[in-house]
Amino acid sequence: MTKVLLIDDDVDLTMLLQEYLTEDGFQVTATEDGRTAIAQAAANAVDIIVLDIMMPRMNGIDVLQRIRRLSPVPVLMLTAKGDDVDRIAGLNLGADDYVSKPCSPGELAARLRAILRRSGASGAGTVQDGLRAGELVMHPGTRVAEWRGQPLELTGTEFSLLEVLARHAGQLVSKQDISKHVFGRPLMAFDRRIDVHVSSVRQKLGMREDGQSWIQSVRGHGYQLLQDR
């Protein structure tokens, strides 16, 4: 049973989400203390964390930042509707996705399952042959990646995004196709989560010898992973 840690100080919403997710087959622990999330992540005690941004004492951004120093556990952020600043900050710090409040329990459950599928945390999948694109080697079955012979630390979402680009190395992949493969849904207008995740992956890959990024963008169309020169 998938272990979910829900951190939110909205008691009524928390009770509603906890009841729905439990009935939907998740094992849910709820708290309003961000320090609990940090401790649980450090102990590898949960499979996924649902983290509200607006909390007393320690806000969700600070909690996420500390979690990412300790663990790659998938994190779904709960954000205020229309608050792009918090959304982008969360994605930049390694959140896998976000849901705007108020949200329906059904939507939250669907997002959790999508994150777990692409992170490999659901326990499904077997070891597969590696996918190679130049000096990048990816193992989709184990969700392990290597770059230039060294381990490449990626979140579940970053792995899925880079995998799509690696399978089409040297070719342009549209944002719409990336959204469908990575997030399991069509790209919505003004949705910047792909751009933010690409920016994070670019930093982890570093620059080419010619000074270009390994991931090139075509404004308004999509991205491509460059092949070796």
Side-chain angles (χ1 to χ4, degrees), residues 8-27:
D8 197 324
D9 64 332
D10 185 332
V11 177
D12 292 335
L13 177 62
T14 298
M15 290 179 61
L16 173 65
L17 295 177
Q18 185 173 16
E19 180 179 356
Y20 183 94
L21 292 175
T22 299
E23 292 179 353
D24 205 27
F26 294 93
Q27 180 179 330

Side-chain angles (χ1 to χ4, degrees), residues 27-127:
Q27 180 179 330
V28 185
T29 301
T31 180
E32 60 182 58
D33 186 359
R35 291 170 297 184
T36 299
I38 297 169
Q40 296 268 16
N44 295 317
V46 293
D47 297 310
I48 191 166
I49 294 173
V50 179
L51 178 61
D52 185 31
I53 286 184
M54 299 301 295
M55 294 190 302
R57 294 186 295 276
M58 184 184 297
N59 67 46
I61 295 297
D62 291 337
V63 173
L64 175 63
Q65 192 169 27
R66 296 193 187 188
I67 288 174
R68 280 293 168 257
R69 294 172 185 167
L70 302 168
S71 170
V73 61
V75 176
L76 174 68
M77 302 294 293
L78 296 178
T79 68
K81 188 173 183 180
D83 196 340
D84 288 338
V85 174
D86 281 341
R87 292 175 182 176
I88 293 172
L91 293 173
N92 277 328
L93 289 173
D96 291 86
D97 204 352
Y98 62 81
V99 172
S100 298
K101 296 173 66 176
C103 64
S104 71
E107 178 187 7
L108 181 62
R111 293 287 186 91
L112 290 175
R113 288 197 168 90
I115 293 172
L116 290 165
R117 282 196 300 271
R118 65 178 181 255
S119 70
S122 62
T126 57
V127 176

Side-chain angles (χ1 to χ4, degrees), residues 98 175 179 185-195:
Y98 62 81
K175 286 188 174 182
S179 184
R185 58 185 181 275
L187 182 69
M188 304 298 291
F190 309 111
D191 189 337
R192 294 189 57 195
R193 76 189 73 195
I194 292 175
D195 304 313

